[in-house]
Short mmCIF file of all heavy atoms in Angstrom, two decimals:
data_model
loop_
_atom_site.label_atom_id
_atom_site.label_comp_id
_atom_site.label_asym_id
_atom_site.label_seq_id
_atom_site.Cartn_x
_atom_site.Cartn_y
_atom_site.Cartn_z
N PRO A 272 65.10 96.68 122.20
CA PRO A 272 63.89 96.90 123.02
C PRO A 272 63.58 95.70 123.90
O PRO A 272 63.56 94.56 123.44
CB PRO A 272 62.81 97.10 121.95
CG PRO A 272 63.53 97.63 120.78
CD PRO A 272 64.86 96.93 120.78
N GLY A 273 63.37 95.99 125.17
CA GLY A 273 63.02 94.94 126.11
C GLY A 273 64.18 94.09 126.58
O GLY A 273 63.98 93.12 127.33
N LYS A 274 65.39 94.42 126.17
CA LYS A 274 66.55 93.64 126.56
C LYS A 274 67.55 94.50 127.31
O LYS A 274 67.51 95.73 127.26
CB LYS A 274 67.21 93.03 125.32
CG LYS A 274 66.34 92.01 124.60
CD LYS A 274 67.11 91.32 123.49
CE LYS A 274 66.27 90.25 122.82
NZ LYS A 274 67.03 89.55 121.74
N GLU A 275 68.47 93.83 128.00
CA GLU A 275 69.50 94.54 128.72
C GLU A 275 70.60 95.00 127.76
O GLU A 275 70.77 94.44 126.67
CB GLU A 275 70.09 93.65 129.81
CG GLU A 275 69.12 93.30 130.92
CD GLU A 275 69.79 92.54 132.05
OE1 GLU A 275 70.97 92.16 131.90
OE2 GLU A 275 69.14 92.33 133.09
N ARG A 276 71.33 96.00 128.21
CA ARG A 276 72.46 96.47 127.42
C ARG A 276 73.52 95.38 127.40
O ARG A 276 73.85 94.79 128.42
CB ARG A 276 73.00 97.76 128.03
CG ARG A 276 74.00 98.47 127.16
CD ARG A 276 74.27 99.88 127.69
NE ARG A 276 73.07 100.70 127.61
CZ ARG A 276 73.06 102.02 127.83
NH1 ARG A 276 74.19 102.64 128.11
NH2 ARG A 276 71.94 102.69 127.76
N GLU A 277 74.08 95.14 126.22
CA GLU A 277 75.07 94.09 126.08
C GLU A 277 76.33 94.59 125.39
O GLU A 277 76.29 95.49 124.54
CB GLU A 277 74.51 92.90 125.30
CG GLU A 277 74.13 93.18 123.86
CD GLU A 277 73.71 91.94 123.10
OE1 GLU A 277 73.65 90.85 123.68
OE2 GLU A 277 73.44 92.08 121.88
N PHE A 278 77.43 93.98 125.75
CA PHE A 278 78.73 94.30 125.17
C PHE A 278 78.76 93.87 123.72
O PHE A 278 78.29 92.79 123.37
CB PHE A 278 79.81 93.58 125.96
CG PHE A 278 81.19 93.67 125.38
CD1 PHE A 278 81.96 94.80 125.59
CD2 PHE A 278 81.71 92.63 124.63
CE1 PHE A 278 83.24 94.88 125.07
CE2 PHE A 278 82.97 92.70 124.11
CZ PHE A 278 83.74 93.83 124.32
N VAL A 279 79.35 94.72 122.87
CA VAL A 279 79.52 94.39 121.46
C VAL A 279 81.01 94.26 121.12
O VAL A 279 81.44 93.25 120.57
CB VAL A 279 78.88 95.47 120.56
CG1 VAL A 279 79.18 95.18 119.09
CG2 VAL A 279 77.38 95.54 120.81
N ALA A 280 81.78 95.30 121.47
CA ALA A 280 83.20 95.29 121.13
C ALA A 280 83.95 96.24 122.05
O ALA A 280 83.38 97.21 122.54
CB ALA A 280 83.41 95.71 119.68
N GLY A 281 85.23 95.93 122.28
CA GLY A 281 86.05 96.79 123.10
C GLY A 281 87.45 96.92 122.52
O GLY A 281 87.90 96.06 121.76
N ILE A 282 88.12 98.01 122.87
CA ILE A 282 89.47 98.24 122.38
C ILE A 282 90.29 98.85 123.50
O ILE A 282 89.82 99.71 124.25
CB ILE A 282 89.45 99.14 121.12
CG1 ILE A 282 90.84 99.24 120.49
CG2 ILE A 282 88.87 100.52 121.43
CD1 ILE A 282 90.82 99.82 119.08
N THR A 283 91.53 98.38 123.65
CA THR A 283 92.39 98.89 124.70
C THR A 283 92.88 100.30 124.37
O THR A 283 92.72 100.79 123.26
CB THR A 283 93.59 97.97 124.90
OG1 THR A 283 94.28 97.81 123.64
CG2 THR A 283 93.14 96.60 125.40
N TRP A 284 93.52 100.92 125.35
CA TRP A 284 93.96 102.31 125.17
C TRP A 284 94.93 102.44 124.01
O TRP A 284 94.92 103.44 123.28
CB TRP A 284 94.60 102.82 126.45
CG TRP A 284 95.96 102.23 126.72
CD1 TRP A 284 96.24 101.05 127.35
CD2 TRP A 284 97.21 102.79 126.34
NE1 TRP A 284 97.59 100.84 127.38
CE2 TRP A 284 98.22 101.89 126.77
CE3 TRP A 284 97.60 103.96 125.68
CZ2 TRP A 284 99.58 102.14 126.58
CZ3 TRP A 284 98.95 104.20 125.48
CH2 TRP A 284 99.92 103.29 125.92
N SER A 285 95.75 101.43 123.82
CA SER A 285 96.76 101.50 122.76
C SER A 285 96.21 101.02 121.41
O SER A 285 96.86 101.20 120.38
CB SER A 285 97.95 100.63 123.15
OG SER A 285 97.55 99.27 123.23
N GLY A 286 95.06 100.39 121.44
CA GLY A 286 94.52 99.81 120.21
C GLY A 286 95.12 98.46 119.88
O GLY A 286 94.77 97.87 118.85
N SER A 287 95.98 97.95 120.75
CA SER A 287 96.68 96.70 120.45
C SER A 287 95.81 95.47 120.66
O SER A 287 96.09 94.40 120.12
CB SER A 287 97.93 96.58 121.30
OG SER A 287 97.60 96.56 122.67
N ARG A 288 94.76 95.62 121.46
CA ARG A 288 93.87 94.48 121.72
C ARG A 288 92.43 94.89 121.50
O ARG A 288 92.01 95.99 121.89
CB ARG A 288 94.03 93.98 123.15
CG ARG A 288 95.39 93.40 123.47
CD ARG A 288 95.39 92.81 124.86
NE ARG A 288 96.72 92.35 125.26
CZ ARG A 288 96.98 91.75 126.41
NH1 ARG A 288 96.00 91.53 127.28
NH2 ARG A 288 98.21 91.37 126.69
N THR A 289 91.69 93.98 120.91
CA THR A 289 90.25 94.17 120.74
C THR A 289 89.54 92.91 121.18
O THR A 289 90.13 91.83 121.22
CB THR A 289 89.89 94.46 119.27
OG1 THR A 289 90.37 93.39 118.45
CG2 THR A 289 90.51 95.77 118.79
N SER A 290 88.28 93.05 121.53
CA SER A 290 87.47 91.90 121.89
C SER A 290 86.07 92.11 121.36
O SER A 290 85.63 93.25 121.15
CB SER A 290 87.46 91.67 123.40
OG SER A 290 86.92 92.79 124.07
N TYR A 291 85.38 90.99 121.13
CA TYR A 291 84.06 91.05 120.52
C TYR A 291 83.11 90.05 121.16
O TYR A 291 83.53 88.99 121.62
CB TYR A 291 84.16 90.72 119.02
CG TYR A 291 85.00 91.70 118.25
CD1 TYR A 291 86.36 91.48 118.06
CD2 TYR A 291 84.45 92.88 117.75
CE1 TYR A 291 87.16 92.38 117.38
CE2 TYR A 291 85.24 93.79 117.06
CZ TYR A 291 86.59 93.54 116.89
OH TYR A 291 87.36 94.46 116.21
N ALA A 292 81.85 90.40 121.14
CA ALA A 292 80.83 89.43 121.53
C ALA A 292 80.80 88.33 120.47
O ALA A 292 81.07 88.59 119.28
CB ALA A 292 79.46 90.11 121.60
N ASP A 293 80.50 87.13 120.89
CA ASP A 293 80.46 86.01 119.94
C ASP A 293 79.50 86.28 118.79
O ASP A 293 79.74 85.85 117.66
CB ASP A 293 80.04 84.73 120.67
CG ASP A 293 81.12 84.22 121.61
OD1 ASP A 293 82.29 84.65 121.46
OD2 ASP A 293 80.81 83.40 122.48
N SER A 294 78.44 86.99 119.07
CA SER A 294 77.40 87.21 118.07
C SER A 294 77.85 88.12 116.92
O SER A 294 77.22 88.13 115.86
CB SER A 294 76.15 87.80 118.72
OG SER A 294 76.47 89.03 119.37
N VAL A 295 78.93 88.88 117.13
CA VAL A 295 79.39 89.81 116.09
C VAL A 295 80.79 89.47 115.60
O VAL A 295 81.28 90.11 114.67
CB VAL A 295 79.34 91.27 116.57
CG1 VAL A 295 77.95 91.61 117.11
CG2 VAL A 295 80.41 91.56 117.61
N LEU A 296 81.43 88.50 116.22
CA LEU A 296 82.80 88.14 115.86
C LEU A 296 82.88 87.76 114.38
O LEU A 296 82.09 86.95 113.90
CB LEU A 296 83.26 86.98 116.73
CG LEU A 296 84.73 86.59 116.63
CD1 LEU A 296 85.61 87.73 117.09
CD2 LEU A 296 84.99 85.33 117.46
N GLY A 297 83.81 88.39 113.70
CA GLY A 297 83.98 88.13 112.28
C GLY A 297 83.17 89.03 111.38
O GLY A 297 83.38 89.06 110.17
N ARG A 298 82.25 89.78 111.97
CA ARG A 298 81.41 90.70 111.18
C ARG A 298 81.66 92.16 111.54
O ARG A 298 81.56 93.04 110.67
CB ARG A 298 79.93 90.37 111.40
CG ARG A 298 79.53 88.96 111.00
CD ARG A 298 78.02 88.75 111.07
NE ARG A 298 77.49 88.91 112.42
CZ ARG A 298 76.58 89.82 112.76
NH1 ARG A 298 76.10 90.66 111.85
NH2 ARG A 298 76.13 89.88 114.01
N PHE A 299 81.93 92.43 112.80
CA PHE A 299 82.13 93.81 113.27
C PHE A 299 83.61 94.02 113.57
O PHE A 299 84.33 93.09 113.93
CB PHE A 299 81.33 94.06 114.54
CG PHE A 299 79.84 94.12 114.36
CD1 PHE A 299 79.23 93.73 113.18
CD2 PHE A 299 79.04 94.55 115.40
CE1 PHE A 299 77.85 93.78 113.03
CE2 PHE A 299 77.66 94.61 115.27
CZ PHE A 299 77.07 94.22 114.08
N ALA A 300 84.03 95.28 113.46
CA ALA A 300 85.41 95.63 113.80
C ALA A 300 85.44 96.97 114.49
O ALA A 300 84.86 97.95 113.99
CB ALA A 300 86.27 95.65 112.55
N ILE A 301 86.11 97.03 115.63
CA ILE A 301 86.27 98.28 116.37
C ILE A 301 87.66 98.83 116.09
O ILE A 301 88.63 98.08 115.95
CB ILE A 301 86.07 98.05 117.88
CG1 ILE A 301 86.07 99.38 118.64
CG2 ILE A 301 87.08 97.07 118.45
CD1 ILE A 301 85.67 99.25 120.12
N SER A 302 87.75 100.15 115.99
CA SER A 302 89.04 100.79 115.77
C SER A 302 88.99 102.17 116.41
O SER A 302 87.92 102.66 116.79
CB SER A 302 89.35 100.90 114.28
OG SER A 302 88.38 101.69 113.61
N ARG A 303 90.16 102.77 116.54
CA ARG A 303 90.21 104.11 117.13
C ARG A 303 91.20 104.97 116.40
O ARG A 303 92.23 104.49 115.90
CB ARG A 303 90.57 104.01 118.62
CG ARG A 303 91.91 103.42 118.94
CD ARG A 303 92.06 103.14 120.44
NE ARG A 303 91.93 104.37 121.22
CZ ARG A 303 91.58 104.40 122.50
NH1 ARG A 303 91.34 103.27 123.15
NH2 ARG A 303 91.51 105.55 123.15
N ASP A 304 90.89 106.25 116.34
CA ASP A 304 91.77 107.26 115.77
C ASP A 304 91.91 108.34 116.84
O ASP A 304 91.07 109.24 116.94
CB ASP A 304 91.18 107.82 114.48
CG ASP A 304 92.11 108.80 113.79
OD1 ASP A 304 93.04 109.32 114.45
OD2 ASP A 304 91.92 109.05 112.60
N ASP A 305 92.95 108.23 117.65
CA ASP A 305 93.10 109.16 118.77
C ASP A 305 93.36 110.59 118.32
O ASP A 305 93.03 111.54 119.02
CB ASP A 305 94.22 108.68 119.68
CG ASP A 305 93.85 107.41 120.43
OD1 ASP A 305 92.64 107.13 120.59
OD2 ASP A 305 94.77 106.68 120.85
N ALA A 306 93.95 110.75 117.16
CA ALA A 306 94.17 112.10 116.64
C ALA A 306 92.85 112.82 116.39
O ALA A 306 92.77 114.05 116.48
CB ALA A 306 94.99 112.04 115.37
N LYS A 307 91.83 112.04 116.09
CA LYS A 307 90.49 112.59 115.87
C LYS A 307 89.57 112.40 117.07
O LYS A 307 88.39 112.75 117.01
CB LYS A 307 89.86 111.95 114.64
CG LYS A 307 90.59 112.24 113.33
CD LYS A 307 89.87 111.60 112.15
CE LYS A 307 90.59 111.93 110.85
NZ LYS A 307 89.90 111.32 109.67
N SER A 308 90.11 111.80 118.13
CA SER A 308 89.31 111.51 119.33
C SER A 308 88.03 110.76 118.96
O SER A 308 86.94 111.08 119.44
CB SER A 308 88.96 112.80 120.07
OG SER A 308 90.11 113.40 120.61
N THR A 309 88.19 109.78 118.11
CA THR A 309 87.03 109.07 117.58
C THR A 309 87.28 107.56 117.60
O THR A 309 88.38 107.10 117.31
CB THR A 309 86.71 109.52 116.15
OG1 THR A 309 86.47 110.93 116.14
CG2 THR A 309 85.49 108.81 115.60
N VAL A 310 86.24 106.84 117.96
CA VAL A 310 86.24 105.39 117.91
C VAL A 310 85.17 104.96 116.91
O VAL A 310 84.11 105.59 116.81
CB VAL A 310 85.95 104.78 119.29
CG1 VAL A 310 85.83 103.27 119.22
CG2 VAL A 310 87.05 105.16 120.27
N TYR A 311 85.46 103.90 116.18
CA TYR A 311 84.56 103.44 115.13
C TYR A 311 84.09 102.01 115.38
O TYR A 311 84.77 101.23 116.04
CB TYR A 311 85.28 103.49 113.78
CG TYR A 311 85.81 104.84 113.41
CD1 TYR A 311 87.15 105.16 113.64
CD2 TYR A 311 84.98 105.80 112.83
CE1 TYR A 311 87.65 106.41 113.30
CE2 TYR A 311 85.48 107.04 112.48
CZ TYR A 311 86.81 107.34 112.73
OH TYR A 311 87.30 108.58 112.38
N LEU A 312 82.95 101.71 114.84
CA LEU A 312 82.48 100.33 114.80
C LEU A 312 82.03 100.05 113.38
O LEU A 312 81.00 100.57 112.93
CB LEU A 312 81.33 100.09 115.78
CG LEU A 312 80.85 98.64 115.86
CD1 LEU A 312 81.93 97.77 116.50
CD2 LEU A 312 79.54 98.53 116.64
N GLN A 313 82.82 99.28 112.67
CA GLN A 313 82.46 98.85 111.32
C GLN A 313 81.59 97.61 111.42
O GLN A 313 82.00 96.60 111.99
CB GLN A 313 83.71 98.56 110.51
CG GLN A 313 83.43 98.07 109.11
CD GLN A 313 82.79 99.14 108.22
OE1 GLN A 313 83.22 100.30 108.25
NE2 GLN A 313 81.78 98.74 107.45
N MET A 314 80.40 97.70 110.88
CA MET A 314 79.43 96.61 110.95
C MET A 314 79.22 96.06 109.54
O MET A 314 78.73 96.77 108.67
CB MET A 314 78.11 97.12 111.52
CG MET A 314 78.25 97.81 112.86
SD MET A 314 76.74 98.67 113.38
CE MET A 314 75.58 97.33 113.46
N ASN A 315 79.60 94.83 109.33
CA ASN A 315 79.44 94.18 108.02
C ASN A 315 78.51 92.98 108.15
O ASN A 315 78.35 92.40 109.22
CB ASN A 315 80.79 93.72 107.49
CG ASN A 315 81.74 94.86 107.25
OD1 ASN A 315 81.35 95.96 106.86
ND2 ASN A 315 83.03 94.61 107.47
N ASN A 316 77.90 92.63 107.02
CA ASN A 316 77.02 91.47 106.99
C ASN A 316 76.02 91.51 108.15
O ASN A 316 75.86 90.54 108.89
CB ASN A 316 77.83 90.18 107.03
CG ASN A 316 77.00 88.94 106.76
OD1 ASN A 316 75.94 89.01 106.12
ND2 ASN A 316 77.46 87.80 107.25
#
């Protein structure tokens, strides 16, 4: 609320590369399952 939209995590088409905002690095993980047409964001801690 009251803030701009910010990047959290990204994943390439192949899934071979991922990137994260510094604020979530080491805590969040992005993944994709193309067979299910679904992308996930695992949020820990």
Side-chain angles (χ1 to χ4, degrees):
K274 295 187 177 181
E275 294 186 352
R276 190 168 296 190
E277 64 174 3
F278 172 81
V279 175
I282 187 166
T283 56
W284 72 275
S285 64
S287 61
R288 295 186 185 182
T289 57
S290 60
Y291 298 92
D293 289 343
S294 59
V295 307
L296 188 63
R298 300 187 297 120
F299 290 11
I301 187 172
S302 61
R303 62 190 299 157
D304 185 341
D305 290 338
K307 296 182 179 180
S308 293
T309 301
V310 175
Y311 303 97
L312 184 68
Q313 178 67 43
M314 306 170 60
N315 297 325
N316 190 24

